[in-house]
Amino acid sequence: MPTPNKAASVAELTDAFQSSNAAVLTEYRGLTVAQLKTLRRSLGENAQYAVVKNTLTKIAANQAGITALDDHFAGPTAVAFVTGDPVESAKALRDFAKENPNLIIKAGVLDGKALSADDIKKLADLESREVLLSKLAGAFKAKQSQAASVFQALPSKLVRTVDALRAKQAEQGGAE
């Protein structure tokens, strides 16, 4: 029979899985409390990093409909629940892991889809959402400029063609 504390923990973790758009499992064995505090700060406001109990977290993940992480709940586990841009959080975890090799990225989930550690590293290599959106806006603007040039060229080409026809007719009319 689960204790009220465990039931409350499972409910809280289930809510965290459901309300976040990504979650990343890490192993933190060998990291100090100060290092974990630094990691939490580097993740920023759009992610919550929590040291969790494997059994309770596995139950919570299953209740949230996430079963892809079941094999990764072993050893000292912490979860980064991401509510903002997952690319920024993945970059923060990757950069922290480079500086602190004791942090191991195990796996994750993004919008309900399972991610391997390699997938999370690839996600970290992406540019931020804002940069991608600005590049997309630039591409749209360029296409609009090209379309405007084409639409502007059609009437001017028509005018030049009509002028050339008039000149040709005038030449032929003057030659007779």
Side-chain angles (χ1 to χ4, degrees):
M1 181 115 189
T3 65
N5 287 342
K6 288 182 180 179
S9 294
V10 168
E12 186 178 329
L13 288 168
T14 302
D15 183 51
F17 275 112
Q18 290 173 339
S19 64
S20 61
N21 55 1
V24 180
L25 295 180
T26 63
E27 183 176 319
Y28 64 93
R29 185 186 328 241
L31 293 176
T32 65
V33 173
Q35 288 172 321
L36 288 175
K37 188 174 180 180
T38 303
L39 174 58
R40 284 187 178 100
R41 266 194 242 119
S42 71
L43 286 173
E45 298 173 3
N46 67 344
Q48 175 190 2
Y49 190 74
V51 174
V52 295
K53 293 187 178 275
N54 289 330
T55 306
L56 299 180
T57 308
K58 183 176 179 180
I59 292 168
N62 288 333
Q63 286 181 0
I66 301 168
T67 57
L69 302 176
D70 286 355
D71 295 337
H72 300 285
F73 291 112
T77 303
V79 182
F81 294 105
V82 182
T83 55
D85 186 7
V87 174
E88 289 179 26
S89 297
K91 284 181 183 189
L93 286 168
R94 178 200 60 195
D95 294 344
F96 188 85
K98 282 181 182 177
E99 295 172 18
N100 302 284
N102 288 335
L103 181 74
I104 299 169
I105 298 173
K106 294 181 180 182
V109 63
L110 175 64
D111 294 328
K113 295 181 181 166
L115 299 174
S116 68
D118 289 335
D119 292 336
I120 294 168
K121 289 175 185 168
K122 288 177 188 173
L123 183 64
D125 291 336
L126 287 177
E127 293 173 331
S128 71
R129 182 176 190 270
E130 290 77 19
V131 171
L132 292 174
L133 286 174
S134 65
K135 284 185 175 183
L136 182 64
F140 281 142
K141 184 177 178 184
K143 291 297 179 188
Q144 288 175 343
S145 296
Q146 289 174 349
S149 297
V150 167
F151 292 136
Q152 187 177 9
L154 290 176
S156 63
K157 185 175 181 181
L158 177 67
V159 169
R160 285 192 304 268
T161 305
V162 169
D163 284 344
L165 282 173
R166 277 191 200 147
K168 188 173 182 181
Q169 285 178 349
E171 284 178 17
Q172 289 176 353
E176 293 176 8

